[in-house]
Amino acid sequence: MARRVAAGTGVLLLDSEGLSKIAGDDEWAWAHLKQALKEQSRVFVPAVTLAEVLRGGSRDASATAFSSASPSST
Amino acid sequence: MTASTPGPSARAAAPAKTAAKKSGVARDSATRSAQPVGPIKSAAKALAKAPAKAPRKRAPAKAASAGTATRAARPPRSRAARNAPVPPSAVPASGGLAALRKVSKVSVSLPDALTRSVRDRVRRGRFSAYVTAAVERQLELDRLAELVDGFEERLGRPISNELMAEAGAAWHAE
């Protein structure tokens, strides 16, 4: 049986700072996200990061929008 | 005859109802005083039994035929609604719960060579899993591309080359 290899290399794992910066439209953070796309890598937002960042207020909107549409959440 | 087509008794009852309306008499008293005979009798009875605040759709003709009211209350979904694209947020992200997902059978046309290559690589019965993984992966990349495009749209320009170079260097750093 031939070996199966996942496409792309590496994983971009967002911590609370990364998710907050992306939610706040920080260009530096988005550059890393675009680089991950260029490399066809997976992007993960751990559940614990969501628990840290999301506070239940209106400020959560952009972070929630990103995490719900983010390629991978675990 | 279908359930939605009014029968002869219903058609006969319509003029009686119109006459009651024109004379300004209340509906109940109109039906009582009309003293219906023959084919319109059953329809008039149904009218008398109908609740006072019944919607106009439940006219005596339709109320008399059983089952019509239920069908009218819940119309079937249109073809356009059934075929509407599923929003990206509605598609579950990949994860360990993949095996528990509800599946639907679809027909996909693939080039012969591609099909043979996949069959050579996967065990019997694992073709769908292989294709599912590939489609999930592509969806991930598409969503990520949409997110980046959305940000650049908000920014009004592409992400600067300097920042991209920095991100590239960080990505490939040991």
Side-chain angles (χ1 to χ4, degrees), chain A residues 1-4 7 9 25 27-28 30-37 39-43 66 69 71-72, chain B residues 121 123 130 133 137 140-141 143-145 147-148 151-152 154 157 159-160 163-164 166-168 171-172:
Chain A
M1 182 75 56
R3 190 168 69 97
R4 272 180 65 184
T9 55
D25 277 355
E27 194 176 351
W28 180 87
W30 277 97
H32 280 77
L33 205 62
K34 191 174 180 178
Q35 183 65 29
L37 174 65
E39 303 284 341
Q40 297 203 329
S41 300
R42 306 194 99 129
V43 178
F66 175 78
S72 303
Chain B
R121 284 179 172 273
R123 295 194 305 272
Y130 195 93
R137 186 79 190 97
E140 285 180 11
L141 292 173
R143 285 192 202 123
L144 189 55
L147 288 170
V148 171
F151 170 71
E152 289 184 335
R154 290 195 298 276
R157 58 175 171 79
I159 295 170
S160 70
L163 285 175
M164 284 308 298
E166 189 186 331
W171 196 266
H172 294 293

Side-chain angles (χ1 to χ4, degrees), chain B residues 75-124:
Chain B
R77 290 176 69 200
S78 66
R79 183 184 291 261
R82 284 198 304 270
N83 295 339
V86 179
S89 57
V91 180
S94 61
L97 296 176
L100 298 177
R101 270 186 240 155
K102 191 179 170 186
V103 296
S104 57
K105 216 168 177 62
V106 293
S107 174
V108 179
S109 300
L110 293 175
D112 278 347
L114 202 58
T115 310
R116 272 198 302 276
S117 299
V118 175
R119 285 199 197 284
D120 288 346
R121 284 179 172 273
V122 298
R123 295 194 305 272
R124 187 178 167 78

Side-chain angles (χ1 to χ4, degrees), chain B residues 124-143:
Chain B
R124 187 178 167 78
R126 300 298 297 166
F127 192 98
S128 293
Y130 195 93
V131 174
T132 300
V135 172
E136 275 185 345
R137 186 79 190 97
Q138 189 58 49
L139 275 173
E140 285 180 11
L141 292 173
D142 288 352
R143 285 192 202 123

Side-chain angles (χ1 to χ4, degrees), chain A:
Chain A
M1 182 75 56
R3 190 168 69 97
R4 272 180 65 184
V5 181
T9 55
V11 169
L12 179 64
L13 191 68
L14 291 175
D15 63 0
S16 54
E17 188 188 354
L19 182 59
S20 296
K21 282 190 170 177
I22 281 171
D25 277 355
D26 182 271
E27 194 176 351
W28 180 87
W30 277 97
H32 280 77
L33 205 62
K34 191 174 180 178
Q35 183 65 29
L37 174 65
K38 217 168 142 184
E39 303 284 341
Q40 297 203 329
S41 300
R42 306 194 99 129
V43 178
F44 285 102
V45 183
V48 69
T49 300
L50 294 175
E52 273 184 277
V53 173
L54 302 180
R55 296 302 176 109
S58 57
R59 288 180 181 179
D60 293 348
S62 46
T64 306
F66 175 78
S67 61
S68 63
S70 68
S72 303
S73 296
T74 186

